Amino acid sequence: MVIDVHYHLLVEDWLPEAWWGAISQVYVNALKAMGMEMTEEDVKANILGGFWDPEGDNLVAQMDESGIDKTVILPQDLGLAMGEPKVTIEEQNKAYAEVQKKHPNRIIAFAGVDPRRPGAVELMERAINEWGLKGIKLHPGTGYFPDEGEAYNLLKKASEIGVPVLTHTGIWPGKSKYCDPIHFDNILIDFPNLTIIAAHLGRGWQNVLFEMGAHRPNLVTDFSGWQIVAQQHYHHFCQNLRYAIDAFSPGRVLFGSDGPFYTPAMPSGAFLGKSLIN
């Protein structure tokens, strides 16, 4: 069975306008490096507009094409960092639960909430216990260290409930200093029954992450977001994936696409094929 553990179901009104501006600029820069000129407006109209998928139907069709059996969808609570979107984070979590209900054999939905929000722990508990979501998605890059304050309290509750936590690690367009995987070390020790999935192989801090993986049995990683490296520097991609597998063991290194953001660069099926190394 093939599982994509890292996918973002997207609707324009679910994320801040500033986020779409930042993502558009990332595409503009990447396309320029490949010799193609597009404006932010062109990107929004011709690329991002194709991502909207409120009920997960497009995702399931893509999974069929790519040979992916199940996908974990992950909400992103970026409102405190970039401005609140039109749809509240509570409504987004409910929408993710509805998508999971619509595609129960194909889609697994996690909850997502910024720990600094008033009532964040209570929202997480409702999402898991009442709406049936299966884990938690965190993004420390919005401005918090995961081993401090409200984030620590939320992770403690996740450990008590018994659900996994998938968190961004590595460099990203926002405040990357919060995304160093070393900030999960205390959490992994304090809550040995809590499974933490560190996304993106700790991109930029992968050597730190690999060492942690060798010593923290409750730490897992995914290699989502490495499509450009796999496409342009395949040897480097394979080398890092091999290091991760050797450090973590194969069962704790998971496939993830970070779709649909990377789909224009490499469809999930092609990335899955490139990741099948011995």
Side-chain angles (χ1 to χ4, degrees):
M1 178 177 289
V2 177
I3 301 175
D4 180 350
V5 302
H6 195 132
Y7 189 96
H8 302 288
L9 204 66
L10 297 178
V11 173
E12 184 173 12
D13 290 346
W14 288 358
L15 291 169
E17 184 176 338
W19 168 252
W20 296 123
I23 287 297
S24 297
Q25 189 58 53
V26 169
Y27 278 104
V28 167
N29 294 338
L31 290 166
K32 186 174 183 180
M34 293 186 287
M36 293 179 280
E37 296 286 343
M38 289 185 73
T39 66
E40 286 190 27
E41 290 70 25
D42 292 334
V43 168
K44 290 177 180 177
N46 299 313
I47 297 178
L48 300 184
F51 290 167
W52 315 147
D53 187 20
E55 297 186 357
D57 297 334
N58 294 341
L59 168 58
V60 171
Q62 293 167 18
M63 291 164 62
D64 291 339
E65 293 175 5
S66 301
I68 294 172
D69 298 292
K70 295 180 183 290
T71 292
V72 180
I73 56 173
L74 308 166
Q76 302 179 91
D77 187 0
L78 309 179
L80 295 184
M82 294 184 166
E84 297 292 357
K86 294 179 180 179
V87 178
T88 68
I89 195 61
E90 180 174 351
E91 292 173 312
Q92 291 180 49
N93 278 276
K94 289 181 179 178
Y96 265 59
E98 290 301 314
V99 172
Q100 180 177 252
K101 287 181 182 178
K102 183 175 183 180
H103 305 283
N105 298 318
R106 306 300 302 278
I107 291 178
I108 301 164
F110 275 29
V113 60
D114 189 317
R116 299 167 296 175
R117 285 190 181 278
V121 171
E122 291 77 12
L123 175 57
M124 180 193 74
E125 290 185 279
R126 289 204 309 277
I128 300 299
N129 296 328
E130 297 179 22
W131 308 333
L133 299 177
K134 306 302 184 184
I136 306 297
K137 170 65 167 72
L138 294 183
H139 207 312
T142 56
Y144 60 87
F145 290 110
D147 54 353
E148 296 180 356
E150 296 95 338
Y152 186 93
N153 293 334
L154 187 142
L155 289 164
K156 179 180 180 182
K157 180 58 68 173
S159 178
E160 294 172 357
I161 295 173
V163 293
V165 174
L166 191 149
T167 178
H168 178 92
T169 59
I171 305 301
W172 82 300
K175 298 177 180 179
S176 297
K177 73 174 185 178
Y178 299 102
C179 304
D180 185 335
I182 196 64
H183 297 298
F184 283 96
D185 198 45
N186 287 346
I187 299 293
L188 292 161
I189 293 172
D190 292 349
F191 309 123
N193 295 320
L194 176 65
T195 297
I196 291 180
I197 306 168
H200 314 304
L201 295 184
R203 190 168 50 208
W205 286 289
Q206 56 262 42
N207 291 334
V208 172
L209 184 68
F210 297 162
E211 290 295 328
M212 291 175 66
H215 293 89
R216 304 286 179 256
N218 51 331
L219 179 64
V220 179
T221 189
D222 76 44
F223 54 92
S224 61
W226 279 68
Q227 285 91 323
I228 303 300
V229 178
Q231 187 176 66
Q232 299 179 358
H233 307 283
Y234 185 58
H235 175 77
H236 182 62
F237 167 70
C238 291
Q239 187 177 53
N240 277 277
L241 186 53
R242 181 77 265 169
Y243 287 157
I245 292 171
D246 290 344
F248 280 83
S249 76
R252 291 192 288 133
V253 180
L254 309 179
F255 171 76
S257 66
D258 204 9
F261 295 115
Y262 285 89
T263 303
M266 181 181 291
S268 296
F271 185 45
L272 179 62
K274 281 187 172 291
S275 67
L276 296 176
I277 67 171
N278 295 319

